[in-house]
Amino acid sequence: MKTFKLPDLGEGLPDAEIVEWLVAEGDTVKVDDPIVSMETAKAVVEVPAPYAGIIAKLHGQAGDVIKTGAPLLDIDTGEGGATQAAEPQSDAPAEATKPDPGAGTREAKTDTEPAADDVGQTGGERADTGTVVGNVTTSDEVVKATHTTVGGVKVTPAVRALARKLKVDLAAVEPTGPDGVVTSDDVRKTAEQGPTRTAAPPARAPEPGAHVQSEDPAPYRVSPEPTGEWQPIRGTRRTMARAMSESHKRVVATTLMDDADIHTWRPDEDITVRLLRSLWAGAQAEPGLNAWYDDEQNLRMVHKQMHVGMAVDTADGLFVARLRDVHASDRQALRGEINRLRDNVKSRSIPPEDLKNYTIMLSNFGVFAGRYATPIVNPPCVAIVAAGVLRHEVVPVLGGIETHRMLPLSLTFDHRIVTGGEAARFLKAMMADLQRGD
């Protein structure tokens, strides 16, 4: 009998949620057969069987959150059962992986060679990544959302998770994807129509309040009737809440705001691409903002290359996708990568390696609303830039006045490791680059 523990799914996260068991107790499985769909903060992935044998016990049900390194299921391998290629390193849960600011040579290597846990390794023997379950997490099936058939319906794990969340019966969804695969748009369309939605379980709410005692002779009365339903915070939103709390505890955030005059831009200028280029201009003036800070070891790594974490808004919460090699990419290449990352995020098919190891962050909330903001820095990064809504403003020019387009900028930085002067010079260099007409 072997106990399979939840591996680190390649994202450095402490837990994952069971979306759907693909096996039942008593089923026979082979090595690499998909056994369960797990939802992390980043994606829904299928975890393969590490051994051949008979499923003896499932540890958890759909909706349960399993900690990394905790038992997931037991497999009776029998006398001739297959064994792991790499035994667990420890019975303790694996700690969440974070970039090591002191490992400068290792970080530089990742720009030219794939890391040990990158997707796409080939060959019959998978290398041990040093995770809780040895080589299992390098299997393509762990990070690749391939479609399976559920009740005669072809669907990916991510779409199954979405259908479950929206309480949509997949059998009632008309597929429009290639080869008859149900897409996320198909599920949302069915959810909007309403009739196929199954009844939701009664929501648990706090006990209705009575009177709140106060010194006021007319006490405040809490409404005895709830006006909505309590919903568990899971997946992306749970991790977003955790990351925001961690940032609040660990970062001494300070924000500078200013406006870039962009009246010389062409009418069809790509705003996001220009913002990315200006980040590199800022880093050339003040490299210390394109950096990581390890507050536990009091170490800093100033990066020689720039990989930008772009905030992508979705209905499930906020994702930060990594745009690689901004310092060495032209406009066309940047736009292609931006589109790829956004499409992959929205379809929940983005590889885990595209969601980590960014060196600085960018948020373009101006596509929605708002002029200035106080954006949040995700450690170990030390800076994030946010762009607000473009506006026209009257400016004095040679004794007269003109109307120019202005781009509001907000730069939040970790004041423990970045000085106010460094941040101001970084922002000034950004604005100078944005104000150029080329």
Side-chain angles (χ1 to χ4, degrees):
M1 186 74 65
K2 290 185 176 290
T3 297
F4 175 41
K5 299 176 182 179
L6 178 65
D8 179 349
L9 297 177
E11 304 176 54
L13 296 173
D15 52 41
E17 179 183 339
I18 297 174
V19 175
E20 179 184 8
W21 284 107
L22 306 178
V23 295
E25 293 180 2
D27 286 355
T28 300
V29 295
K30 302 187 297 294
V31 174
D32 279 348
D33 279 353
I35 53 176
V36 64
S37 294
M38 304 293 298
E39 181 175 16
T40 69
K42 313 299 184 183
V44 177
V45 296
E46 289 186 350
V47 179
Y51 324 109
I54 299 173
I55 304 298
K57 182 178 180 181
L58 305 179
H59 294 278
Q61 304 174 2
D64 288 350
V65 176
I66 307 297
K67 293 185 179 299
T68 300
L72 190 58
L73 80 166
D74 296 335
I75 301 179
D76 184 356
T77 60
E79 291 295 325
T83 59
Q84 277 181 293
E87 290 298 322
Q89 302 297 318
S90 170
D91 289 335
E95 294 183 359
T97 303
K98 69 176 182 178
D100 180 2
T105 55
R106 293 200 303 272
E107 176 60 21
K109 186 177 180 181
T110 61
D111 293 312
T112 56
E113 298 178 13
D117 61 347
D118 278 352
V119 186
Q121 298 186 27
T122 58
E125 188 74 16
R126 296 191 299 269
D128 182 8
T129 61
T131 60
V132 175
V133 290
N135 70 339
V136 172
T137 59
T138 62
S139 171
D140 289 345
E141 286 80 6
V142 173
V143 296
K144 183 179 180 182
T146 57
H147 76 262
T148 55
T149 300
V150 178
V153 180
K154 294 181 180 179
V155 63
T156 65
V159 175
R160 284 203 305 272
L162 178 63
R164 176 173 168 267
K165 179 178 180 180
L166 298 180
K167 303 178 179 66
V168 171
D169 181 3
L170 285 171
V173 179
E174 182 177 352
T176 62
D179 299 323
V181 176
V182 173
T183 68
S184 58
D185 287 341
D186 298 336
V187 171
R188 290 190 177 93
K189 181 179 179 181
T190 304
E192 291 172 0
Q193 295 172 351
T196 63
R197 298 180 69 149
T198 59
R204 293 190 303 175
E207 291 296 325
H211 292 283
V212 177
Q213 299 298 327
S214 70
E215 297 178 0
D216 193 324
Y220 172 74
R221 182 181 296 275
V222 178
S223 170
E225 296 296 333
T227 58
E229 294 182 351
W230 291 94
Q231 300 174 345
I233 303 301
R234 293 174 173 165
T236 304
R237 290 190 183 275
R238 185 178 76 249
T239 301
M240 182 176 69
R242 180 191 297 138
M244 296 301 101
S245 298
E246 186 72 8
S247 176
H248 182 71
K249 287 192 302 183
R250 294 179 54 191
V251 176
V252 180
T254 306
T255 303
L256 288 178
M257 303 172 183
D258 210 329
D259 299 301
D261 187 330
I262 58 172
H263 76 285
T264 59
W265 280 15
R266 301 188 305 265
D268 60 345
E269 189 66 82
D270 191 320
I271 297 174
T272 304
V273 168
R274 286 298 302 267
L275 283 167
L276 290 166
R277 191 184 82 173
S278 71
L279 285 176
W280 181 238
Q284 289 177 296
E286 284 293 345
L289 279 82
N290 183 42
W292 286 340
Y293 175 51
D294 185 336
D295 54 350
E296 295 178 354
Q297 302 183 59
N298 199 30
L299 296 171
R300 180 178 74 155
M301 178 190 291
V302 177
H303 296 282
K304 298 179 181 179
Q305 300 172 328
M306 179 174 282
H307 310 306
V308 177
M310 289 201 318
V312 181
D313 180 68
T314 74
D316 294 324
L318 186 68
F319 287 75
V320 180
R322 180 189 60 177
L323 188 66
R324 291 180 57 88
D325 300 326
V326 168
H327 60 284
S329 301
D330 58 25
R331 299 187 187 201
Q332 185 176 0
L334 284 174
R335 172 43 58 187
E337 276 297 284
I338 293 168
N339 293 340
R340 181 186 69 84
L341 289 175
R342 284 181 175 168
D343 291 344
N344 286 350
V345 165
K346 291 185 182 300
S347 65
R348 297 297 295 274
S349 61
I350 188 166
E353 65 268 21
D354 281 346
L355 293 160
K356 58 185 178 181
N357 291 344
Y358 38 85
T359 62
I360 194 169
M361 302 169 65
L362 173 66
S363 173
N364 188 9
F365 67 87
V367 296
F368 304 113
R371 183 175 297 186
Y372 304 108
T374 54
I376 304 299
V377 177
N378 281 349
C381 290
V382 300
I384 178 174
V385 174
V389 176
L390 288 172
R391 72 183 190 279
H392 287 85
E393 190 170 289
V394 175
V395 297
V397 178
L398 299 176
I401 58 172
E402 294 180 0
T403 301
H404 288 185
R405 285 199 303 165
M406 310 296 287
L407 177 61
L409 299 173
S410 302
L411 166 62
T412 295
F413 59 96
D414 189 339
H415 214 332
R416 296 174 303 170
I417 200 68
V418 177
T419 70
E422 290 170 334
R425 288 187 289 271
F426 181 95
L427 185 59
K428 181 180 178 180
M430 277 192 68
M431 293 167 59
D433 185 79
L434 287 168
Q435 289 167 185
R436 290 167 50 186
D438 59 337

